[in-house]
PDB file of all heavy atoms in Angstrom:
ATOM      1  N   PRO A   6     131.969  47.863  -6.138  1.00 95.00           N
ATOM      2  CA  PRO A   6     133.420  47.605  -6.173  1.00 95.00           C
ATOM      3  C   PRO A   6     133.962  47.716  -7.599  1.00 95.00           C
ATOM      4  O   PRO A   6     133.360  47.228  -8.557  1.00 95.00           O
ATOM      5  CB  PRO A   6     133.524  46.167  -5.653  1.00 95.00           C
ATOM      6  CG  PRO A   6     132.314  45.987  -4.792  1.00 95.00           C
ATOM      7  CD  PRO A   6     131.229  46.780  -5.451  1.00 95.00           C
ATOM      8  N   GLY A   7     135.099  48.377  -7.722  1.00 94.00           N
ATOM      9  CA  GLY A   7     135.718  48.550  -9.028  1.00 94.00           C
ATOM     10  C   GLY A   7     135.196  49.718  -9.829  1.00 94.00           C
ATOM     11  O   GLY A   7     135.596  49.895 -10.980  1.00 94.00           O
ATOM     12  N   GLN A   8     134.344  50.557  -9.243  1.00 94.00           N
ATOM     13  CA  GLN A   8     133.808  51.711  -9.957  1.00 94.00           C
ATOM     14  C   GLN A   8     134.333  53.005  -9.343  1.00 94.00           C
ATOM     15  O   GLN A   8     134.772  53.034  -8.197  1.00 94.00           O
ATOM     16  CB  GLN A   8     132.274  51.723  -9.908  1.00 94.00           C
ATOM     17  CG  GLN A   8     131.611  50.678 -10.780  1.00 94.00           C
ATOM     18  CD  GLN A   8     130.103  50.836 -10.801  1.00 94.00           C
ATOM     19  OE1 GLN A   8     129.504  51.298  -9.841  1.00 94.00           O
ATOM     20  NE2 GLN A   8     129.486  50.458 -11.903  1.00 94.00           N
ATOM     21  N   SER A   9     134.254  54.080 -10.142  1.00 94.00           N
ATOM     22  CA  SER A   9     134.586  55.412  -9.652  1.00 94.00           C
ATOM     23  C   SER A   9     133.489  56.370 -10.081  1.00 94.00           C
ATOM     24  O   SER A   9     132.815  56.144 -11.089  1.00 94.00           O
ATOM     25  CB  SER A   9     135.939  55.873 -10.189  1.00 94.00           C
ATOM     26  OG  SER A   9     135.894  55.945 -11.614  1.00 94.00           O
ATOM     27  N   ALA A  10     133.302  57.417  -9.315  1.00 94.00           N
ATOM     28  CA  ALA A  10     132.281  58.428  -9.603  1.00 94.00           C
ATOM     29  C   ALA A  10     132.923  59.801  -9.497  1.00 94.00           C
ATOM     30  O   ALA A  10     133.885  59.999  -8.749  1.00 94.00           O
ATOM     31  CB  ALA A  10     131.116  58.310  -8.615  1.00 94.00           C
ATOM     32  N   ARG A  11     132.393  60.746 -10.252  1.00 92.00           N
ATOM     33  CA  ARG A  11     132.967  62.084 -10.244  1.00 92.00           C
ATOM     34  C   ARG A  11     131.908  63.115 -10.593  1.00 92.00           C
ATOM     35  O   ARG A  11     130.896  62.798 -11.222  1.00 92.00           O
ATOM     36  CB  ARG A  11     134.142  62.186 -11.221  1.00 92.00           C
ATOM     37  CG  ARG A  11     133.757  61.970 -12.677  1.00 92.00           C
ATOM     38  CD  ARG A  11     134.979  62.049 -13.577  1.00 92.00           C
ATOM     39  NE  ARG A  11     134.618  61.898 -14.981  1.00 92.00           N
ATOM     40  CZ  ARG A  11     134.549  60.751 -15.622  1.00 92.00           C
ATOM     41  NH1 ARG A  11     134.817  59.631 -14.971  1.00 92.00           N
ATOM     42  NH2 ARG A  11     134.219  60.692 -16.895  1.00 92.00           N
ATOM     43  N   ALA A  12     132.157  64.348 -10.214  1.00 93.00           N
ATOM     44  CA  ALA A  12     131.295  65.477 -10.551  1.00 93.00           C
ATOM     45  C   ALA A  12     132.166  66.721 -10.598  1.00 93.00           C
ATOM     46  O   ALA A  12     133.150  66.835  -9.869  1.00 93.00           O
ATOM     47  CB  ALA A  12     130.171  65.649  -9.528  1.00 93.00           C
ATOM     48  N   THR A  13     131.804  67.663 -11.465  1.00 91.00           N
ATOM     49  CA  THR A  13     132.582  68.873 -11.674  1.00 91.00           C
ATOM     50  C   THR A  13     131.844  70.072 -11.098  1.00 91.00           C
ATOM     51  O   THR A  13     130.631  70.219 -11.303  1.00 91.00           O
ATOM     52  CB  THR A  13     132.858  69.100 -13.174  1.00 91.00           C
ATOM     53  OG1 THR A  13     133.562  67.970 -13.692  1.00 91.00           O
ATOM     54  CG2 THR A  13     133.690  70.348 -13.394  1.00 91.00           C
ATOM     55  N   PHE A  14     132.588  70.924 -10.385  1.00 92.00           N
ATOM     56  CA  PHE A  14     132.040  72.139  -9.787  1.00 92.00           C
ATOM     57  C   PHE A  14     132.787  73.341 -10.352  1.00 92.00           C
ATOM     58  O   PHE A  14     134.011  73.292 -10.537  1.00 92.00           O
ATOM     59  CB  PHE A  14     132.176  72.096  -8.260  1.00 92.00           C
ATOM     60  CG  PHE A  14     131.360  71.031  -7.603  1.00 92.00           C
ATOM     61  CD1 PHE A  14     131.860  69.739  -7.487  1.00 92.00           C
ATOM     62  CD2 PHE A  14     130.102  71.299  -7.104  1.00 92.00           C
ATOM     63  CE1 PHE A  14     131.110  68.742  -6.879  1.00 92.00           C
ATOM     64  CE2 PHE A  14     129.345  70.309  -6.495  1.00 92.00           C
ATOM     65  CZ  PHE A  14     129.845  69.031  -6.386  1.00 92.00           C
ATOM     66  N   ARG A  15     132.041  74.416 -10.601  1.00 90.00           N
ATOM     67  CA  ARG A  15     132.616  75.666 -11.102  1.00 90.00           C
ATOM     68  C   ARG A  15     132.666  76.670  -9.952  1.00 90.00           C
ATOM     69  O   ARG A  15     131.662  76.894  -9.272  1.00 90.00           O
ATOM     70  CB  ARG A  15     131.777  76.229 -12.245  1.00 90.00           C
ATOM     71  CG  ARG A  15     131.442  75.208 -13.328  1.00 90.00           C
ATOM     72  CD  ARG A  15     132.570  75.018 -14.288  1.00 90.00           C
ATOM     73  NE  ARG A  15     132.276  73.990 -15.279  1.00 90.00           N
ATOM     74  CZ  ARG A  15     133.074  73.656 -16.266  1.00 90.00           C
ATOM     75  NH1 ARG A  15     134.220  74.299 -16.401  1.00 90.00           N
ATOM     76  NH2 ARG A  15     132.753  72.702 -17.124  1.00 90.00           N
ATOM     77  N   VAL A  16     133.827  77.286  -9.754  1.00 89.00           N
ATOM     78  CA  VAL A  16     134.032  78.225  -8.650  1.00 89.00           C
ATOM     79  C   VAL A  16     134.510  79.552  -9.226  1.00 89.00           C
ATOM     80  O   VAL A  16     135.457  79.594 -10.020  1.00 89.00           O
ATOM     81  CB  VAL A  16     135.065  77.678  -7.641  1.00 89.00           C
ATOM     82  CG1 VAL A  16     135.259  78.652  -6.490  1.00 89.00           C
ATOM     83  CG2 VAL A  16     134.636  76.315  -7.118  1.00 89.00           C
ATOM     84  N   ARG A  17     133.848  80.644  -8.827  1.00 85.00           N
ATOM     85  CA  ARG A  17     134.258  81.985  -9.239  1.00 85.00           C
ATOM     86  C   ARG A  17     134.574  82.788  -7.976  1.00 85.00           C
ATOM     87  O   ARG A  17     133.671  83.329  -7.332  1.00 85.00           O
ATOM     88  CB  ARG A  17     133.155  82.664 -10.052  1.00 85.00           C
ATOM     89  CG  ARG A  17     133.568  84.031 -10.630  1.00 85.00           C
ATOM     90  CD  ARG A  17     132.416  84.658 -11.410  1.00 85.00           C
ATOM     91  NE  ARG A  17     132.084  83.884 -12.572  1.00 85.00           N
ATOM     92  CZ  ARG A  17     132.699  84.009 -13.758  1.00 85.00           C
ATOM     93  NH1 ARG A  17     133.684  84.889 -13.887  1.00 85.00           N
ATOM     94  NH2 ARG A  17     132.330  83.276 -14.779  1.00 85.00           N
ATOM     95  N   PRO A  18     135.864  82.894  -7.597  1.00 81.00           N
ATOM     96  CA  PRO A  18     136.214  83.659  -6.389  1.00 81.00           C
ATOM     97  C   PRO A  18     136.132  85.157  -6.629  1.00 81.00           C
ATOM     98  O   PRO A  18     136.092  85.623  -7.772  1.00 81.00           O
ATOM     99  CB  PRO A  18     137.655  83.221  -6.110  1.00 81.00           C
ATOM    100  CG  PRO A  18     138.189  82.811  -7.446  1.00 81.00           C
ATOM    101  CD  PRO A  18     137.021  82.275  -8.227  1.00 81.00           C
ATOM    102  N   ARG A  19     136.098  85.900  -5.547  1.00 77.00           N
ATOM    103  CA  ARG A  19     136.092  87.344  -5.662  1.00 77.00           C
ATOM    104  C   ARG A  19     137.432  87.843  -6.187  1.00 77.00           C
ATOM    105  O   ARG A  19     138.473  87.239  -5.935  1.00 77.00           O
ATOM    106  CB  ARG A  19     135.806  87.975  -4.294  1.00 77.00           C
ATOM    107  CG  ARG A  19     134.402  87.698  -3.775  1.00 77.00           C
ATOM    108  CD  ARG A  19     134.234  88.241  -2.375  1.00 77.00           C
ATOM    109  NE  ARG A  19     132.909  87.944  -1.842  1.00 77.00           N
ATOM    110  CZ  ARG A  19     132.547  88.186  -0.581  1.00 77.00           C
ATOM    111  NH1 ARG A  19     133.420  88.721   0.255  1.00 77.00           N
ATOM    112  NH2 ARG A  19     131.321  87.884  -0.187  1.00 77.00           N
ATOM    113  N   ALA A  20     137.394  88.936  -6.900  1.00 72.00           N
ATOM    114  CA  ALA A  20     138.610  89.470  -7.520  1.00 72.00           C
ATOM    115  C   ALA A  20     139.632  89.835  -6.450  1.00 72.00           C
ATOM    116  O   ALA A  20     139.324  90.510  -5.470  1.00 72.00           O
ATOM    117  CB  ALA A  20     138.271  90.692  -8.366  1.00 72.00           C
ATOM    118  N   GLY A  21     140.855  89.351  -6.653  1.00 70.00           N
ATOM    119  CA  GLY A  21     141.948  89.697  -5.749  1.00 70.00           C
ATOM    120  C   GLY A  21     141.988  88.915  -4.461  1.00 70.00           C
ATOM    121  O   GLY A  21     142.858  89.189  -3.625  1.00 70.00           O
ATOM    122  N   GLU A  22     141.094  87.957  -4.247  1.00 73.00           N
ATOM    123  CA  GLU A  22     141.075  87.192  -3.004  1.00 73.00           C
ATOM    124  C   GLU A  22     141.490  85.751  -3.265  1.00 73.00           C
ATOM    125  O   GLU A  22     141.124  85.164  -4.288  1.00 73.00           O
ATOM    126  CB  GLU A  22     139.674  87.217  -2.380  1.00 73.00           C
ATOM    127  CG  GLU A  22     139.235  88.582  -1.893  1.00 73.00           C
ATOM    128  CD  GLU A  22     137.937  88.520  -1.119  1.00 73.00           C
ATOM    129  OE1 GLU A  22     137.473  87.381  -0.880  1.00 73.00           O
ATOM    130  OE2 GLU A  22     137.412  89.575  -0.744  1.00 73.00           O
ATOM    131  N   PRO A  23     142.276  85.158  -2.370  1.00 74.00           N
ATOM    132  CA  PRO A  23     142.653  83.751  -2.542  1.00 74.00           C
ATOM    133  C   PRO A  23     141.454  82.829  -2.355  1.00 74.00           C
ATOM    134  O   PRO A  23     140.475  83.182  -1.695  1.00 74.00           O
ATOM    135  CB  PRO A  23     143.707  83.530  -1.453  1.00 74.00           C
ATOM    136  CG  PRO A  23     143.376  84.548  -0.401  1.00 74.00           C
ATOM    137  CD  PRO A  23     142.839  85.738  -1.140  1.00 74.00           C
ATOM    138  N   LEU A  24     141.571  81.672  -2.938  1.00 77.00           N
ATOM    139  CA  LEU A  24     140.474  80.699  -2.867  1.00 77.00           C
ATOM    140  C   LEU A  24     140.667  79.799  -1.656  1.00 77.00           C
ATOM    141  O   LEU A  24     141.703  79.158  -1.499  1.00 77.00           O
ATOM    142  CB  LEU A  24     140.433  79.861  -4.149  1.00 77.00           C
ATOM    143  CG  LEU A  24     139.392  78.743  -4.189  1.00 77.00           C
ATOM    144  CD1 LEU A  24     137.989  79.324  -4.121  1.00 77.00           C
ATOM    145  CD2 LEU A  24     139.565  77.887  -5.423  1.00 77.00           C
ATOM    146  N   HIS A  25     139.665  79.766  -0.790  1.00 82.00           N
ATOM    147  CA  HIS A  25     139.642  78.855   0.359  1.00 82.00           C
ATOM    148  C   HIS A  25     138.405  77.973   0.202  1.00 82.00           C
ATOM    149  O   HIS A  25     137.286  78.432   0.421  1.00 82.00           O
ATOM    150  CB  HIS A  25     139.597  79.627   1.675  1.00 82.00           C
ATOM    151  CG  HIS A  25     140.798  80.492   1.900  1.00 82.00           C
ATOM    152  ND1 HIS A  25     142.021  79.988   2.294  1.00 82.00           N
ATOM    153  CD2 HIS A  25     140.976  81.834   1.774  1.00 82.00           C
ATOM    154  CE1 HIS A  25     142.901  80.976   2.408  1.00 82.00           C
ATOM    155  NE2 HIS A  25     142.283  82.104   2.093  1.00 82.00           N
ATOM    156  N   ALA A  26     138.622  76.753  -0.190  1.00 86.00           N
ATOM    157  CA  ALA A  26     137.505  75.861  -0.496  1.00 86.00           C
ATOM    158  C   ALA A  26     137.792  74.470   0.042  1.00 86.00           C
ATOM    159  O   ALA A  26     138.932  74.118   0.364  1.00 86.00           O
ATOM    160  CB  ALA A  26     137.254  75.811  -2.010  1.00 86.00           C
ATOM    161  N   ALA A  27     136.726  73.690   0.151  1.00 90.00           N
ATOM    162  CA  ALA A  27     136.833  72.299   0.579  1.00 90.00           C
ATOM    163  C   ALA A  27     135.752  71.497  -0.115  1.00 90.00           C
ATOM    164  O   ALA A  27     134.626  71.968  -0.297  1.00 90.00           O
ATOM    165  CB  ALA A  27     136.705  72.173   2.093  1.00 90.00           C
ATOM    166  N   ALA A  28     136.113  70.298  -0.531  1.00 92.00           N
ATOM    167  CA  ALA A  28     135.154  69.375  -1.129  1.00 92.00           C
ATOM    168  C   ALA A  28     134.723  68.370  -0.073  1.00 92.00           C
ATOM    169  O   ALA A  28     135.510  67.978   0.801  1.00 92.00           O
ATOM    170  CB  ALA A  28     135.777  68.661  -2.327  1.00 92.00           C
ATOM    171  N   TYR A  29     133.468  67.955  -0.157  1.00 93.00           N
ATOM    172  CA  TYR A  29     132.914  66.991   0.788  1.00 93.00           C
ATOM    173  C   TYR A  29     132.393  65.779   0.018  1.00 93.00           C
ATOM    174  O   TYR A  29     131.649  65.927  -0.958  1.00 93.00           O
ATOM    175  CB  TYR A  29     131.792  67.630   1.602  1.00 93.00           C
ATOM    176  CG  TYR A  29     132.273  68.741   2.502  1.00 93.00           C
ATOM    177  CD1 TYR A  29     132.333  70.046   2.051  1.00 93.00           C
ATOM    178  CD2 TYR A  29     132.696  68.471   3.801  1.00 93.00           C
ATOM    179  CE1 TYR A  29     132.784  71.079   2.860  1.00 93.00           C
ATOM    180  CE2 TYR A  29     133.159  69.493   4.623  1.00 93.00           C
ATOM    181  CZ  TYR A  29     133.197  70.786   4.143  1.00 93.00           C
ATOM    182  OH  TYR A  29     133.655  71.799   4.949  1.00 93.00           O
ATOM    183  N   VAL A  30     132.815  64.616   0.465  1.00 95.00           N
ATOM    184  CA  VAL A  30     132.408  63.349  -0.147  1.00 95.00           C
ATOM    185  C   VAL A  30     131.636  62.569   0.901  1.00 95.00           C
ATOM    186  O   VAL A  30     132.177  62.249   1.972  1.00 95.00           O
ATOM    187  CB  VAL A  30     133.630  62.550  -0.634  1.00 95.00           C
ATOM    188  CG1 VAL A  30     133.201  61.196  -1.174  1.00 95.00           C
ATOM    189  CG2 VAL A  30     134.392  63.331  -1.697  1.00 95.00           C
ATOM    190  N   GLY A  31     130.384  62.274   0.610  1.00 94.00           N
ATOM    191  CA  GLY A  31     129.547  61.518   1.536  1.00 94.00           C
ATOM    192  C   GLY A  31     129.108  60.203   0.933  1.00 94.00           C
ATOM    193  O   GLY A  31     129.019  60.049  -0.288  1.00 94.00           O
ATOM    194  N   TYR A  32     128.845  59.250   1.790  1.00 95.00           N
ATOM    195  CA  TYR A  32     128.330  57.947   1.352  1.00 95.00           C
ATOM    196  C   TYR A  32     127.667  57.278   2.543  1.00 95.00           C
ATOM    197  O   TYR A  32     127.743  57.763   3.679  1.00 95.00           O
ATOM    198  CB  TYR A  32     129.455  57.063   0.794  1.00 95.00           C
ATOM    199  CG  TYR A  32     130.566  56.768   1.774  1.00 95.00           C
ATOM    200  CD1 TYR A  32     130.536  55.632   2.590  1.00 95.00           C
ATOM    201  CD2 TYR A  32     131.647  57.627   1.890  1.00 95.00           C
ATOM    202  CE1 TYR A  32     131.543  55.377   3.492  1.00 95.00           C
ATOM    203  CE2 TYR A  32     132.666  57.372   2.793  1.00 95.00           C
ATOM    204  CZ  TYR A  32     132.610  56.252   3.587  1.00 95.00           C
ATOM    205  OH  TYR A  32     133.617  55.993   4.487  1.00 95.00           O
ATOM    206  N   ARG A  33     127.019  56.174   2.268  1.00 93.00           N
ATOM    207  CA  ARG A  33     126.308  55.442   3.316  1.00 93.00           C
ATOM    208  C   ARG A  33     126.569  53.955   3.164  1.00 93.00           C
ATOM    209  O   ARG A  33     126.503  53.410   2.062  1.00 93.00           O
ATOM    210  CB  ARG A  33     124.794  55.722   3.232  1.00 93.00           C
ATOM    211  CG  ARG A  33     123.970  55.084   4.338  1.00 93.00           C
ATOM    212  CD  ARG A  33     122.487  55.377   4.146  1.00 93.00           C
ATOM    213  NE  ARG A  33     121.672  54.786   5.185  1.00 93.00           N
ATOM    214  CZ  ARG A  33     121.372  55.377   6.326  1.00 93.00           C
ATOM    215  NH1 ARG A  33     121.805  56.596   6.566  1.00 93.00           N
ATOM    216  NH2 ARG A  33     120.622  54.778   7.235  1.00 93.00           N
ATOM    217  N   THR A  34     126.873  53.313   4.266  1.00 91.00           N
ATOM    218  CA  THR A  34     127.012  51.864   4.302  1.00 91.00           C
ATOM    219  C   THR A  34     126.786  51.414   5.740  1.00 91.00           C
ATOM    220  O   THR A  34     126.931  52.216   6.674  1.00 91.00           O
ATOM    221  CB  THR A  34     128.394  51.421   3.790  1.00 91.00           C
ATOM    222  OG1 THR A  34     128.420  50.006   3.609  1.00 91.00           O
ATOM    223  CG2 THR A  34     129.484  51.806   4.765  1.00 91.00           C
ATOM    224  N   ALA A  35     126.434  50.160   5.917  1.00 84.00           N
ATOM    225  CA  ALA A  35     126.137  49.624   7.249  1.00 84.00           C
ATOM    226  C   ALA A  35     125.101  50.483   7.970  1.00 84.00           C
ATOM    227  O   ALA A  35     125.191  50.717   9.173  1.00 84.00           O
ATOM    228  CB  ALA A  35     127.408  49.499   8.081  1.00 84.00           C
ATOM    229  N   ARG A  36     124.125  51.007   7.221  1.00 83.00           N
ATOM    230  CA  ARG A  36     122.967  51.745   7.734  1.00 83.00           C
ATOM    231  C   ARG A  36     123.298  53.104   8.347  1.00 83.00           C
ATOM    232  O   ARG A  36     122.471  53.679   9.053  1.00 83.00           O
ATOM    233  CB  ARG A  36     122.207  50.899   8.770  1.00 83.00           C
ATOM    234  CG  ARG A  36     121.681  49.591   8.237  1.00 83.00           C
ATOM    235  CD  ARG A  36     120.913  48.851   9.324  1.00 83.00           C
ATOM    236  NE  ARG A  36     120.414  47.571   8.836  1.00 83.00           N
ATOM    237  CZ  ARG A  36     119.741  46.709   9.572  1.00 83.00           C
ATOM    238  NH1 ARG A  36     119.479  47.003  10.855  1.00 83.00           N
ATOM    239  NH2 ARG A  36     119.320  45.575   9.068  1.00 83.00           N
ATOM    240  N   SER A  37     124.477  53.613   8.122  1.00 87.00           N
ATOM    241  CA  SER A  37     124.803  54.933   8.668  1.00 87.00           C
ATOM    242  C   SER A  37     125.722  55.664   7.696  1.00 87.00           C
ATOM    243  O   SER A  37     126.496  55.042   6.968  1.00 87.00           O
ATOM    244  CB  SER A  37     125.461  54.811  10.047  1.00 87.00           C
ATOM    245  OG  SER A  37     126.632  54.035   9.965  1.00 87.00           O
ATOM    246  N   PRO A  38     125.642  57.011   7.679  1.00 90.00           N
ATOM    247  CA  PRO A  38     126.412  57.791   6.708  1.00 90.00           C
ATOM    248  C   PRO A  38     127.800  58.143   7.224  1.00 90.00           C
ATOM    249  O   PRO A  38     128.087  58.091   8.425  1.00 90.00           O
ATOM    250  CB  PRO A  38     125.558  59.048   6.532  1.00 90.00           C
ATOM    251  CG  PRO A  38     124.892  59.220   7.863  1.00 90.00           C
ATOM    252  CD  PRO A  38     124.677  57.838   8.412  1.00 90.00           C
ATOM    253  N   ALA A  39     128.652  58.515   6.276  1.00 93.00           N
ATOM    254  CA  ALA A  39     129.986  59.034   6.579  1.00 93.00           C
ATOM    255  C   ALA A  39     130.258  60.182   5.624  1.00 93.00           C
ATOM    256  O   ALA A  39     129.716  60.229   4.519  1.00 93.00           O
ATOM    257  CB  ALA A  39     131.049  57.949   6.438  1.00 93.00           C
TER     258      ALA A  39
END
């Protein structure tokens, strides 16, 4: 409680194409993941 975590990702899309991306955040509590 009261903490934050972060990580940086580098993305190189193909030339001339729009970027379609999604980030996923996972964690576990009460013995099961989310």
Side-chain angles (χ1 to χ4, degrees):
Q8 287 186 330
S9 62
R11 63 182 182 271
T13 301
F14 294 85
R15 311 279 177 177
V16 181
R17 185 181 295 275
R19 293 175 182 173
E22 293 188 6
L24 176 63
H25 298 284
Y29 294 89
V30 176
Y32 60 92
R33 184 182 180 89
T34 190
R36 300 182 181 178
S37 58

